[in-house]
Amino acid sequence: MATRQGKCTNFGNCEKADKREIIPVPQGADFSCPECGRDLTEVGATTSRNNNALFGGLILAVLLLAAFVTLRACSRSHSSGGFAGLGSSGTPILSLSGSNTIGASLGPALAEAFLKEQGATDVKTLPGANAEEKIVQGVLPGQSSPSIVKIAAHGSATAFTDMASGSTDIGMASRRIKPEEAIKLSSLGDMYAGASEHVLGLDGIAVIVNSANPVTSLRKDQLTHIFSGDASAWSDVGGSGGSIKVYARDDKSGTYDTFKTLVLGNQALVPGAQRFEDSNALSEAVAGDPDGIGFVGLPYVHSARAISVAEKGAMALQPTRLTVATEDYPLSRRLYLYTPANPQNKFTQKFVEFALSHQGQEVVGGSGFVAQNVTPQTQVIAAGAPSDYKQLTSGAERLSLDFRFRTGKSDLDNKAVVDIDRVVTFIADLKYTGDRIMLFGFADSTGSRDANNALSLNRAKVVQDQFSQRGLKPTVVRGFGPDLPVASNDTDEGREKNRRVEIWLRK
């Protein structure tokens, strides 16, 4: 019986993709991954009696081997391994691998800015051996030939396999490292510690509909039903009109990767969805279809309308730079860089420090993601907020970040540790004093009300102590227990989001 062979490229979300498994598919069957449902990339076809195909395959293998040997002979060796870009003959100084969400455009943009910050001239990005690989090169001071930064964006899971093999200096991930991956990298240090785990920025997805659509908000589980095909009519989700028409980005899109992780999970996208390579085109299509629904990055809403999204038991929130930056919006997530605790390559730490700096974060924001630079914003207070919370925040501005804590501990997480200094710098630049700072702690709903009130106040005091050590003494420090949840308390992830400290400034 004739078969086709394929590989899944849904790296980071599918075990068969991460294992580079070759999947046989009988002729006539859907050419898709049996685990995640994504279309396969064909790697060859075989039949039980097709000797010509076998002979042709052997010839192709010989040709590919010859080409590989030629490329290897032409490339220069370097301790971090890697590949040569088309037209590049420089010396590799740094390599990044992993997430396509980061590596597609943000990675090269950061690498260019980093080389320029190091004083390099003639900085440019060149294509690599395939669409997921790029070379960024520039001539550093005192050098006559280019130095290059290699970027391979084959999926978050490859960040950790490449770190384990020693073939990359920095791992890019659009999800947090898994415990089993951290164990395999234990020789490089504790991957959950601040020396190895670095939050690069935040990502948020806007769910959009036609401006005439009466639906203004949906729960996250309703979005799962819509985009998987379980809900096919607007009446299934409390709306009116005809059948739901789903619009989505293509499989190569980092936006789709984000949406799949946060909404679809292990479910496949509804087969009838119209796919788009360009976010602008998708937004325009939804704006012109009264029954349409889709998703885009924050800059691409245009004439469509973004709806609010809620998790169970939490208030529905609009996707804004504030709600994504504070991580309150349900379709937001962190983007990570991972490094050895004591990197041998001197450029590794320099690159991470640049990426997390104010200048580096400007690049993050300019690439369409949400930067971590601090900004004050006015926020509409929920009608159900406690009366004293309403009174204290009246006329005040909320800063564009929340402080969160390590799982199961009262210690600030790695992002919050860096954010403390960002806030101190911001306040110092404005010549504000501590008496304008207000800290409000929150807890999840597990346990008694009294216990949660105490926990939330304790978290606020942990942040207060950090500010005091830096010369700022907040005068208002309160705990509001389980009030104002931003996520569902039914999940570990939701409870962790609800354990937070907000920071406000009185005018």
Side-chain angles (χ1 to χ4, degrees):
M1 180 178 179
T3 62
R4 300 170 67 190
Q5 292 183 336
K7 284 186 176 181
C8 181
T9 58
N10 191 13
F11 298 108
N13 298 308
C14 176
E15 187 174 354
K16 291 185 180 296
D18 296 341
K19 291 182 177 180
R20 310 297 202 278
E21 185 175 327
I22 295 178
I23 304 169
V25 179
Q27 195 70 36
D30 289 339
F31 198 57
S32 59
C33 177
E35 180 176 331
C36 69
R38 176 172 287 190
D39 291 342
L40 299 175
T41 298
E42 191 159 9
V43 296
T46 62
T47 66
S48 58
R49 298 181 181 181
N50 195 341
N51 291 328
N52 289 334
L54 177 61
F55 181 70
L58 288 172
I59 293 176
L60 178 60
V62 171
L63 291 174
L64 289 173
L65 179 60
F68 174 76
V69 171
T70 301
L71 285 172
R72 290 285 290 179
C74 293
S75 63
R76 299 187 181 188
S77 62
H78 183 255
S79 60
S80 62
F83 53 87
L86 301 179
S88 172
S89 58
T91 301
I93 62 168
L94 187 67
S95 61
L96 295 82
S97 69
S99 166
N100 179 262
T101 300
I102 300 171
S105 59
L106 174 55
L110 276 172
E112 284 195 9
F114 171 70
L115 288 176
K116 291 176 181 177
E117 196 265 347
Q118 296 292 308
T121 57
D122 195 23
V123 176
K124 56 188 174 183
T125 298
L126 301 172
N130 54 59
E132 287 75 33
E133 297 178 356
K134 293 181 175 66
I135 292 288
V136 181
Q137 70 174 34
V139 181
L140 291 171
Q143 302 294 318
S144 57
S145 61
S147 296
I148 65 175
V149 177
K150 302 173 295 180
I151 300 172
H154 296 287
S156 293
T158 62
F160 310 117
T161 55
D162 289 350
M163 288 181 70
S165 67
S167 60
T168 195
D169 298 305
I170 298 174
M172 307 176 292
S174 50
R175 60 167 173 81
R176 201 175 194 201
I177 189 171
K178 298 176 181 178
E180 59 269 25
E181 293 168 328
I183 290 172
K184 292 178 181 178
L185 295 176
S186 58
S187 63
L188 301 179
D190 179 1
M191 287 295 113
Y192 291 110
S196 294
E197 183 182 73
H198 318 277
V199 177
L200 175 61
L202 298 133
D203 192 13
I205 301 299
V207 177
I208 56 173
V209 296
N210 178 274
S211 59
N213 193 317
V215 172
T216 59
S217 67
L218 289 169
R219 296 190 313 275
K220 196 171 169 183
D221 63 306
Q222 291 177 310
L223 292 176
T224 304
H225 294 323
I226 289 172
F227 283 91
S228 67
D230 290 340
S232 58
W234 282 107
S235 58
D236 295 336
V237 291
S240 60
S243 299
I244 297 174
K245 294 174 67 174
V246 173
Y247 297 82
R249 289 291 308 278
D250 62 351
D251 284 348
K252 294 181 180 179
S253 160
T255 303
Y256 174 72
D257 179 62
T258 300
F259 189 82
K260 178 174 175 59
T261 300
L262 296 176
V263 175
L264 287 172
N266 294 324
Q267 297 197 50
L269 183 70
V270 58
Q274 294 190 43
R275 311 298 295 274
F276 289 80
E277 183 178 4
D278 181 67
S279 288
N280 291 302
L282 189 156
S283 184
E284 183 178 350
V286 172
D289 185 350
D291 292 322
I293 187 171
F295 55 87
V296 291
L298 294 182
Y300 303 101
V301 175
H302 300 322
S303 57
R305 177 170 54 80
I307 64 171
S308 300
V309 179
E311 287 198 273
K312 181 181 177 182
M315 181 178 67
L317 291 173
Q318 278 279 321
T320 66
R321 291 202 171 270
L322 175 63
T323 59
V324 172
T326 58
E327 301 177 88
D328 293 349
Y329 179 63
L331 303 189
S332 61
R333 67 170 174 177
R334 297 180 176 186
L335 305 176
Y336 296 91
L337 297 179
Y338 285 93
T339 64
N342 296 294
Q344 300 303 303
N345 185 342
K346 67 178 183 179
F347 288 104
T348 298
Q349 188 62 29
K350 287 183 178 181
F351 182 87
V352 171
E353 289 176 355
F354 173 78
L356 301 187
S357 71
H358 190 278
Q359 184 181 351
Q361 288 299 299
E362 290 292 326
V363 177
V364 172
S367 297
F369 298 100
V370 175
Q372 300 171 95
N373 291 333
V374 181
T375 58
Q377 299 191 33
T378 302
Q379 179 176 327
V380 177
I381 306 303
S387 58
D388 47 352
Y389 180 88
K390 291 180 180 178
Q391 181 180 358
L392 287 167
T393 57
S394 177
E397 292 181 311
R398 183 179 176 185
L399 295 192
S400 57
L401 53 83
D402 282 351
F403 299 110
R404 287 184 167 83
F405 299 78
R406 300 189 71 177
T407 303
K409 297 184 178 181
S410 59
D411 300 329
L412 293 170
D413 69 10
N414 296 333
K415 173 173 163 47
V417 170
V418 180
D419 284 343
I420 287 283
D421 289 324
R422 288 189 175 117
V423 173
V424 170
T425 299
F426 170 79
I427 291 174
D429 287 345
L430 294 179
K431 296 181 172 56
Y432 287 176
T433 57
D435 61 358
R436 300 182 67 171
I437 301 174
M438 298 187 293
L439 301 174
F440 302 141
F442 296 88
D444 60 46
S445 62
T446 305
S448 69
R449 173 81 190 197
D450 288 344
N452 286 324
N453 286 340
L455 284 170
S456 64
L457 179 58
N458 180 63
R459 292 190 177 104
K461 287 183 176 180
V462 168
V463 177
Q464 179 188 30
D465 289 342
Q466 291 296 318
F467 278 122
S468 296
Q469 292 173 27
R470 291 161 174 82
L472 292 173
K473 296 181 179 180
T475 55
V476 178
V477 182
R478 294 288 304 276
F480 290 95
D483 292 336
L484 296 176
V486 296
S488 172
N489 279 304
D490 292 341
T491 66
D492 290 338
E493 181 186 35
R495 288 189 291 271
E496 189 169 339
K497 271 196 160 189
N498 289 330
R499 298 190 289 265
R500 69 194 190 279
V501 175
E502 297 177 358
I503 178 169
W504 291 73
L505 292 179
R506 293 191 292 194
K507 292 184 179 179

